[in-house]
Amino acid sequence: MAEIRIHEVESIESALRRFKRKVQQEEIIKEVKKHSFYLKPGQKKRIKQALARKRKSKKVRREPLEDAK
């Protein structure tokens, strides 16, 4: 759970910015979205495989650029 303490001389805007940054670092939003609906085990597996394929194709696209250097 993200929690910040507002200092006496601190403005609300800067406190809100610190809070947003902390929430992003702790990946709270990502976790909420992950648990917002149920996925069957097979669907989870297919999504995981699709992400792996996407990462691999991205890596393959970058390889020729690294060889040129």
Side-chain angles (χ1 to χ4, degrees):
M1 171 140 277
E3 181 179 313
I4 62 165
R5 304 235 188 263
I6 299 175
H7 306 293
E8 291 179 16
V9 295
E10 186 178 26
S11 69
I12 297 296
E13 289 81 19
S14 64
L16 187 59
R17 268 186 262 129
R18 280 194 311 126
F19 177 73
K20 286 181 179 180
R21 194 173 328 123
K22 190 165 189 169
V23 166
Q24 196 173 32
Q25 286 173 348
E26 293 180 8
E27 297 183 343
I28 293 172
I29 303 296
K30 189 177 183 180
E31 201 59 30
V32 168
K33 286 182 180 180
K34 183 179 175 183
H35 294 291
S36 65
F37 55 90
Y38 178 77
L39 284 177
K40 293 180 183 177
Q43 287 176 319
K44 282 184 186 179
K45 185 178 177 183
R46 280 192 290 279
I47 289 171
K48 191 175 178 181
Q49 289 172 344
L51 288 172
R53 282 193 302 270
K54 188 175 180 180
R55 279 193 310 272
K56 186 176 180 181
S57 67
K58 201 173 192 181
K59 185 179 178 183
V60 168
R61 278 185 287 175
R62 277 195 229 142
E63 283 181 357
L65 295 175
E66 292 174 0
D67 292 338
K69 290 180 183 178

